[in-house]
Amino acid sequence: MPKQRSADPRTRIIDVASTLLSEEGRAGVTTRRVAELAGVQAPVIYRLFGDKDGLLDAVAEHVMADFAATKSAAVAGSATRGVDPVAGLRAGWDMTIGFGLANPELFVLINDPARGPSPSTEAGIRILADRVHQVAMAGRLRVSEAEAVELIHAAGTGAVLAILRRPESERDTGPADVLYEGLCQRILTASDSTGRAPADPVIAPAVTLRAAVSDLAVLSPAERAMLGEWLERIIAQG
């Protein structure tokens, strides 16, 4: 592995540790090897990151921040090009599944319950929320935006972790595809080609209107807040 030669020691260390994690797993990320390959003394790693766990956390944040930026750009590009929001939602799902399968050690690390929520993970959830909001504004969402975000995030995480339990030679996106189709049955209204049961004639419009409440300049802030509360109560009964 070639040594990284960024001018910034912290960046150099994270780049080396990220490569080791990807190629050799957590066991390959030792402070001694990272220090050697990054061209620094081991005490520098302890000073910057505290310990190996701190270094791994920094690696996770770095890689996830890059992935979140890529997804954010994709969301913005889809909106600019007028891409169907439902197709955009599927594209975001595929990106997440693909990232998880391409970065198994990192994906398991960032989804370790002991780590707790991280800034990059929260950023990813906000990007998902933006995609879901676009679907709601298009009148295609049959549950609340919050419920849709929670279900998609949980399903995507669970799908990747389940696939990663298989031997590497047997991993494919089949289970994730099946899970996504079931998820669509739950959260999306029917289109002519889906064959899904029609959405509740009250709930789906309520979800769409709730998505647009903040833009209703004709109403006062208090009126928008009240309308939003009423709509949320209607949606919750769906």
Side-chain angles (χ1 to χ4, degrees), residues 39 49 58 67 70 75-76 100 120 135-136 139 142 145 160 163 166 171 212 217 225 231-232 235-236:
F49 304 100
F67 178 60
T70 300
V75 172
S120 58
V135 173
R142 66 191 302 165
E145 292 183 50
V160 173
I163 295 170
R166 295 179 169 186
R171 294 173 188 171
L231 290 169
E232 287 170 4
I235 294 167

Side-chain angles (χ1 to χ4, degrees), residues 1-6 11-17 19 37-39:
M1 180 192 305
K3 294 183 179 180
Q4 306 296 314
R5 288 304 174 193
S6 168
T11 300
R12 209 157 63 231
I13 291 167
I14 289 176
D15 286 344
V16 167
T19 301
L37 292 170

Side-chain angles (χ1 to χ4, degrees), residues 53-146:
D53 287 340
L55 174 57
L56 288 173
D57 284 344
V59 168
E61 286 301 307
H62 173 72
V63 177
M64 283 299 297
D66 285 348
F67 178 60
T70 300
K71 287 192 72 174
S72 181
V75 172
S78 295
T80 300
R81 297 191 305 272
V83 174
D84 173 21
V86 174
L89 190 66
R90 177 59 195 252
W93 170 274
D94 289 341
M95 284 182 68
T96 298
I97 301 300
F99 174 82
L101 298 187
N103 301 274
E105 291 283 347
L106 180 66
F107 195 86
V108 171
L109 174 64
I110 63 178
N111 287 288
D112 182 351
R115 291 187 74 241
S118 68
S120 58
T121 300
E122 294 299 325
I125 292 174
R126 288 194 296 272
I127 294 167
L128 171 59
D130 288 341
R131 282 197 184 275
V132 168
H133 182 69
Q134 292 174 13
V135 173
M137 289 292 288
R140 294 297 312 279
L141 199 63
R142 66 191 302 165
V143 299
S144 71
E145 292 183 50

